[in-house]
Amino acid sequence: MKALLLSDIGQLRLVDAAQPEIDGPQDVLLKVRSVGICGSDLHGYLGHSGRRQPPLIMGHEAAGEVVEVGREVSDLAPGDRVAVQPVTFCGRCAQCLAGNRSLCEQRLIMGMNAPGAYAEYVAWPATNLVRLPPQLTHEGGALAEPLSIAVHAVGLAHIRPGDSAFVVGAGPIGLLTLAVLKQSSAGRIIVSDLSDARLEAARALGADVTVNPRTEDLEQAVADLTGGSGVDVAFEAVGLSATAQQTLEVVRNKGVVVWIGNNQRMIEIDMQAIVTRELAVLGAYGMSSLEFERSLQMLADGVIPIDHIISRRATLDEGPQLFDELLETPEVIKCLINFD
C-alpha cells in the first residue's frame, strides 16, 4: 500500500509499505477513505512536542470502509462505513474502570505510538470503530475525532446558562469548541486569533466578538463584553505560553480555564494569578465513547457547519509537500486527505 511516512523530523516521504494484517481476533482492517491533518501532526512534523518519533505513519482523524474483520468481531462486516476513535483502552486499569478510557494507563494512540491513517489501509480494534450514520459522508466521519475533543473540553467546563466564554485559537479545535459552545447554554462568546481569515470563520460560526491581538485591544474587548469582570470560562486551543497566559488574563476571579492545546511542552505561566484569584485550570484530553458517538450524531444532524471548517482537500500523493504548505498558509483551517 501507499503510505505517508514521517521518516525524520521535517521530512515526509510517500513510500510503499506492507499492508497491515489482522493480528488480534477483535481487530479490523480498514480502507481509509478520509483522514484529517491535525495541528498535533504538524507539531510532530516539526519535532515540537516530542510525542511523535520517526519513523512513523501519522494520522488519527479517520473514517473508512471495513475490509476484513477478526474472528471474534460480530457487529461489523466488510463494506461497513466507520469512524475511528483513535485511543485504545485496556478496560482493566483504574482509569478505565472509572470511565476515563482516553486516560487508560495502557493506551495506544493511532498515528502516535501505533501506525496511523496517512495510508491506504490501517488496522484497529473493533471496539474503537463506530458506524457512520447513513447520511454522513466519510469527510464528516473524519471530523468526529476533533469534534469530540471539543465536546469533551466544553463538558469539563460545566457551562451554566448565560456563561460568557472566550476561545483563543481559531484553528480547527478552537472553531469546533466555538461550535459546541453555540449548541450549549453559553451566553456571549469572544474568539481571539492572529489570522483575520480564521476570525472570519469564527464569525460565520457565531462568535459574538472576534479580536486580533496584533491590531486590536483584547483586554478592552473582554471588558466591553463582560462589564469589566472577565469571562466566566476560557478555552485555550493553541498550546503556547502566550495563549495559555491569555486565558488567565481574560477570565474572572474564580473562573474556569480549560487548556486543550498541546504544542509547547513546557510553558511559563503566572502562578500567582491562579492562586490569588482562585482560578480552576483544567487540562482536556481525548474523549469518552459517548462523546465520540454524540459528535458523529451532531455531524449527521447538520448542527456543525463543516463547510466553515474544511478549507482544503488533498490526495496522499500531495503529502510530502502538503505539511509545508499548511504551515505557510494559516488561513487553511482543516485539510482532509481523501482517497478514491
Side-chain angles (χ1 to χ4, degrees):
M1 67 174 184
K2 290 196 296 185
L4 188 62
L5 179 71
L6 179 68
S7 57
D8 203 346
I9 297 301
Q11 185 174 59
L12 285 164
R13 295 170 48 219
L14 194 64
V15 300
D16 289 320
Q19 182 175 306
E21 297 181 353
I22 300 289
D23 290 329
Q26 289 285 340
D27 287 345
V28 172
L29 180 66
L30 295 179
K31 182 171 180 58
V32 180
R33 293 298 188 184
S34 187
V35 56
I37 295 180
C38 179
S40 64
D41 289 333
L42 293 174
H43 304 152
Y45 170 70
L46 294 173
H48 286 173
S49 65
R51 302 177 75 231
R52 287 161 174 78
Q53 295 297 321
L56 175 67
I57 299 172
M58 299 189 294
H60 59 275
E61 302 176 356
E65 182 180 327
V66 173
V67 174
E68 182 184 352
V69 301
R71 66 179 183 276
E72 293 181 5
V73 178
S74 59
D75 56 346
L76 290 173
D80 286 345
R81 302 181 318 122
V82 296
V84 173
Q85 201 277 57
V87 184
T88 68
F89 52 90
C90 70
R92 301 180 301 275
C93 70
Q95 292 297 332
C96 282
L97 293 175
N100 304 320
R101 289 176 169 179
S102 65
L103 301 179
C104 172
E105 295 164 9
Q106 307 298 324
R107 68 190 175 196
L108 290 176
I109 303 176
M110 179 182 285
M112 186 186 306
N113 54 6
Y118 293 155
E120 292 180 297
Y121 296 90
V122 67
W124 208 238
T127 50
N128 283 66
L129 302 175
V130 183
R131 277 196 187 87
L132 297 185
Q135 69 271 39
L136 191 62
T137 65
H138 286 111
E139 286 192 343
L143 288 181
E145 193 275 345
L147 177 58
S148 65
I149 296 291
V151 167
H152 180 66
V154 172
L156 288 175
H158 298 292
I159 302 290
R160 300 171 303 177
D163 273 353
S164 57
F166 171 82
V167 180
V168 56
I173 296 299
L175 290 176
L176 289 170
T177 299
L178 165 64
V180 175
L181 284 168
K182 295 295 291 185
Q183 297 298 314
S184 74
S185 59
R188 303 189 73 195
I189 304 167
I190 183 170
V191 176
S192 169
D193 198 277
L194 298 178
S195 166
D196 289 331
R198 292 190 173 203
L199 291 177
E200 183 178 349
R203 289 189 291 273
L205 285 166
D208 297 287
V209 178
T210 59
V211 179
N212 185 331
R214 276 201 185 114
T215 57
E216 300 170 273
D217 188 334
L218 176 62
E219 183 178 348
Q220 187 60 53
V222 172
D224 292 343
L225 183 80
T226 64
S229 61
V231 298
D232 298 298
V233 184
F235 296 88
E236 201 281 350
V238 182
L240 299 175
S241 290
T243 46
Q245 179 63 33
Q246 202 174 91
T247 57
L248 304 183
E249 294 169 353
V250 302
V251 75
R252 62 168 172 81
N253 290 354
K254 293 191 76 71
V256 176
V257 173
V258 181
W259 287 345
I260 319 168
N262 194 4
N263 183 358
Q264 201 172 349
R265 186 178 181 89
M266 303 296 293
I267 64 171
E268 185 174 333
I269 212 68
D270 182 355
M271 184 177 177
Q272 281 192 347
I274 298 172
V275 173
T276 62
R277 299 175 55 216
E278 293 193 355
L279 304 181
V281 180
L282 306 172
Y285 188 81
M287 76 299 289
S288 70
S289 298
L290 286 177
E291 288 163 340
F292 190 84
E293 291 170 11
R294 179 188 168 201
S295 298
L296 271 177
Q297 195 58 54
M298 292 170 71
L299 289 160
D301 291 343
V303 299
I304 304 297
I306 64 175
D307 290 343
H308 294 305
I309 304 295
I310 302 171
S311 52
R312 172 79 161 88
R313 293 169 172 86
T315 65
L316 193 65
D317 290 341
E318 296 177 71
Q321 296 78 40
L322 186 59
F323 278 45
D324 287 331
E325 174 197 320
L326 296 176
L327 288 166
E328 294 168 3
T329 318
E331 59 265 28
V332 173
I333 296 169
K334 170 60 70 177
C335 177
L336 297 181
I337 294 176
N338 290 331
F339 299 74
D340 293 333

